[in-house]
Amino acid sequence: MSTILFSSLLLSVVLASAPPTLDTDEDLQKTGFGRPPPRHGLRLLKWYVKACLDNNMEALCDPVAGEYGFHPFGNEEDLLPRLPDGQPLGYFTIGNLHSPHAQDLPYDVRKDYDPNDPLSNEDRVLVKYNENTQHVSDIFISEHYNKTRTYIIGPKLLAFLRQLTHHFYIEM
Ligand SMILES: *[C@@H]1O[C@H](CO)[C@@H](O)[C@H](O)[C@H]1NC(C)=O
């Protein structure tokens, strides 16, 4: 009985496990995420962390209002850690270049989009967002919600990305 209980607890912990954390730019490069073109995810990530967050992680791009193609991410398959009940927290995803308002993304982010080439539209940035405080607490990157290709951006990597200068779009 207790073994069964323990096993199911263990199983739910494993199922709800968080994606691996990327701590450095080298970690990020090693994943191969979002590059080379027509992949757009690396440019999307770099734009997002600079343009859509203030220094206190307050959202400058409104996920709830659907700015830049943001929409809620249901997390039905536990791609990301489960959210606690009863809190104003939600996951939101950005990066589908076919979404309404995605045309508001910078040209450098969306320029390689080809509706006939899935590779040009497979990268996503996901955020954990508190609708009351309007703060983002976690940022994830994902190759079209593939669990083995989904990562958390750790605080050190986030700080690194946020201090990059404006020529970041063309460095890859
Ligand atoms: C998920 O990523 C892995 C590793 O790159 C790959 O082998 C697998 O085919 C991908 N799954 C899907 C559904 O694309």
Side-chain angles (χ1 to χ4, degrees):
M1 174 64 191
S2 64
T3 310
I4 292 172
L5 184 63
F6 179 72
S7 307
S8 64
L9 275 176
L10 194 64
L11 185 64
S12 58
V13 168
V14 169
L15 286 176
S17 69
T21 300
L22 306 177
D23 285 318
T24 63
D25 187 46
E26 197 188 358
D27 292 348
L28 176 60
Q29 300 294 332
K30 271 196 214 142
T31 67
F33 176 77
R35 69 186 164 83
R39 301 276 307 270
H40 70 307
L42 195 54
R43 283 169 283 154
L44 174 74
L45 173 67
K46 290 176 172 183
W47 166 78
Y48 178 78
V49 299
K50 282 193 83 85
C52 288
L53 297 169
D54 81 357
N55 288 337
N56 298 313
M57 299 291 280
E58 187 164 332
L60 303 174
C61 308
D62 189 346
V64 177
E67 284 192 304
Y68 301 103
F70 257 122
H71 50 275
F73 177 71
N75 201 34
E76 279 89 10
E77 289 167 17
D78 289 328
L79 178 71
L80 308 181
R82 284 187 198 167
L83 294 172
D85 289 331
Q87 289 186 34
L89 291 171
Y91 287 123
F92 291 83
T93 178
I94 192 173
N96 182 351
L97 297 172
H98 189 64
S99 289
H101 307 297
Q103 70 274 14
D104 297 336
L105 290 165
Y107 175 73
D108 280 305
V109 173
R110 58 187 167 77
K111 65 184 172 187
D112 297 308
Y113 177 47
D114 174 354
N116 298 313
D117 182 1
L119 199 60
S120 73
N121 198 25
E122 76 169 2
D123 301 325
R124 300 290 184 271
V125 168
L126 297 115
V127 298
K128 186 161 110 183
Y129 180 65
N130 184 312
E131 298 186 25
N132 283 4
T133 66
Q134 295 168 4
H135 278 70
V136 168
S137 48
D138 288 302
I139 301 171
F140 306 85
I141 53 174
S142 181
E143 271 179 34
H144 208 267
Y145 315 125
N146 183 335
K147 184 133 202 171
T148 63
R149 307 285 296 146
T150 298
Y151 307 90
I152 302 182
I153 305 298
K156 266 175 57 186
L157 175 56
L158 182 61
F160 171 81
L161 293 172
R162 283 163 64 83
Q163 53 78 42
L164 292 176
T165 49
H166 63 273
H167 62 273
F168 57 79
Y169 291 127
I170 51 169
E171 78 190 23
M172 58 205 78

